[in-house]
Amino acid sequence: MARKYVGSVLFLCLLIGITIYVLVENNDMRAVAAAMVRADQRWILAGVVTALFFVAAEGSIICYLLRAIGQNVPLLKCVSWSFIGFFFSGITPSATGGQPAQLFYMKKAGLPLTDSTPVLMVVAVLYKFVLAVLGLFIAIFCHKQLGAYFQGYYWLFYLGIGLNAVLVIILVWVMVTPVWAEKAALFLEGLLVKIKLLHPKEERKERLREAVARYGMVVRFFQQNPKKIVVATGMTLVQRSSLFFLTWLIYRAMGLEGVSLIWIMVLQATVYIAVDMLPFPGSAGISELVYAAVFASVFSGSDLAASMCISRGISFYLVLLVSMGIWCVCHFRNETI
């Protein structure tokens, strides 16, 4: 399974190399290093905990939704799937590898795809829905102020809102139309039979119909239990906000004051929304570029580059390494934690 991601990893390494080169070329790295050393380690540690909470919280959402449909899965297993999803999302363009990897390891743990697929789709819908709503709220109430911060990248913010909104619509449509899911499954099965990759079997078609029926039952359960979705939406909002809160922790670690917690979270949310759907593994390079533009008036001098290195280092690169470690444990032990 891991071999097909080699190209994505190499592309990610290339982007990281370019980012480091631009960072070194445009900054006094001695001053940046001094600013990083000066940072209060207590706030940095709080940032590390927050970054790990961000990923683990998705696992708690998965666990909550699985238990809602009768799958009594241990929380620790769901958290391990969340870290696996983060790792594969981080090394693939537009985070496309995350959910397929999660489905793979959930299936290995004995969960039927007809349960895990709609649950992960609900998680994806809520994630994109929360980002789209936050983006619209910020655009309506903070439009004038943000223009000065974004400089020439403001269009990326609105592109991010639009792409997230479109994806929410598509995912909801797929979820609530299981009839189309059955047609698509049978069409694909027929195509594989036609090109002789599969032998024609009526039993297989029947299993596909049963699987789609189970998928539809899970979707209908969520439709008939809106309170579960409301709770999961609240959990998703807290989870997403924790990543924006991390930037304020870094701000305080640098010994700075004067900009409010809410405004720093708003700025970080706009950065996240702007780069979330762009086709770069882990949003490497583009995240740093937009961050540097948006936070130029919040962090001065070498503090800007230092805060960017610490923030991205914790929220992405450190968590990616932790996630890779968890994936290795799960993969080579042939189990989930």
Side-chain angles (χ1 to χ4, degrees):
M1 178 183 174
R3 291 180 182 176
K4 66 180 181 179
Y5 294 105
V6 171
S8 294
V9 173
L10 292 176
F11 184 41
L12 173 62
C13 291
L14 175 63
L15 291 176
I16 293 173
I18 294 172
T19 303
I20 293 173
Y21 173 79
V22 173
L23 180 67
V24 172
E25 187 72 14
N26 295 333
N27 293 277
D28 180 352
M29 294 310 296
R30 288 185 179 180
V32 172
M36 292 172 68
V37 170
R38 228 176 25 245
D40 190 326
Q41 298 304 307
R42 293 170 298 178
W43 292 101
I44 299 295
L45 180 59
V48 171
V49 172
T50 301
L52 294 175
F53 167 82
F54 169 74
V55 183
E58 183 187 274
S60 69
I61 298 169
I62 293 172
C63 185
Y64 174 77
L65 292 173
L66 283 173
R67 290 182 179 182
I69 61 173
Q71 292 287 357
N72 192 22
V73 184
L75 175 61
L76 197 56
K77 274 193 174 184
C78 295
V79 170
S80 73
W81 294 332
S82 182
F83 276 97
I84 288 171
F86 184 93
F87 174 64
F88 284 96
S89 292
I91 64 173
T92 51
S94 299
T96 52
Q99 287 204 345
Q102 287 176 317
L103 287 170
F104 176 79
Y105 285 97
M106 291 167 87
K107 189 174 187 298
K108 283 181 70 174
L111 274 177
L113 290 175
T114 47
D115 286 353
S116 56
T117 301
V119 163
L120 289 185
M121 286 192 72
V122 169
V123 172
V125 168
L126 294 180
Y127 163 48
K128 298 300 182 183
F129 173 75
V130 166
L131 284 186
V133 171
L134 283 175
L136 286 172
F137 184 86
I138 292 170
I140 292 170
F141 294 101
C142 307
H143 173 77
K144 291 182 180 179
Q145 301 97 308
L146 285 175
Y149 285 88
F150 260 85
Q151 300 174 32
Y153 300 102
Y154 207 10
W155 63 275
L156 282 175
F157 172 56
Y158 284 100
L159 177 64
I161 296 174
L163 290 175
N164 276 289
V166 169
L167 188 56
V168 168
I169 293 169
I170 293 173
L171 289 175
V172 169
W173 179 77
V174 171
M175 285 185 63
V176 301
T177 55
V179 172
W180 284 99
E182 180 177 343
K183 288 182 178 180
L186 291 175
F187 172 79
L188 180 61
E189 190 267 351
L191 182 63
L192 293 175
V193 169
K194 190 173 182 179
I195 60 178
K196 298 184 178 179
L197 288 177
L198 291 177
H199 295 292
K201 286 184 180 180
E202 192 59 37
E203 292 178 6
R204 187 192 303 117
K205 290 184 179 180
E206 190 58 36
R207 287 198 303 270
L208 280 174
R209 291 190 182 96
E210 290 174 0
V212 172
R214 170 63 182 167
Y215 175 91
M217 287 171 60
V218 173
V219 171
R220 283 194 295 276
F221 172 82
F222 287 124
Q223 289 174 330
Q224 294 164 6
N225 292 270
K227 288 184 180 179
K228 303 289 185 184
I229 299 300
V230 170
V231 171
T233 302
M235 295 170 71
T236 304
L237 179 61
V238 171
Q239 184 222 2
R240 295 297 142 187
S241 298
S242 68
L243 194 62
F244 312 147
F245 176 68
L246 187 151
T247 307
W248 180 78
L249 293 174
I250 305 306
Y251 178 75
R252 293 306 309 273
M254 307 298 293
L256 301 174
E257 295 180 355
V259 182
S260 70
L261 164 64
I262 297 299
W263 188 241
I264 286 181
M265 289 181 68
V266 165
L267 291 178
Q268 183 57 60
T270 60
V271 173
Y272 196 89
I273 293 167
V275 304
D276 177 61
M277 294 288 289
L278 298 180
F280 297 94
S283 298
I286 190 66
S287 276
E288 288 81 359
L289 184 67
V290 177
Y291 180 98
V294 171
F295 283 97
S297 58
V298 175
F299 298 94
S300 58
S302 58
D303 284 347
L304 175 62
S307 71
M308 180 179 67
C309 290
I310 297 172
S311 178
R312 281 287 286 171
I314 291 173
S315 65
F316 179 66
Y317 298 105
L318 174 63
V319 179
L320 191 70
L321 288 174
V322 172
S323 300
M324 182 176 68
I326 291 174
W327 168 68
C328 287
V329 170
C330 295
H331 186 77
F332 292 109
R333 284 188 177 180
N334 200 30
E335 61 182 23
T336 49
I337 294 174

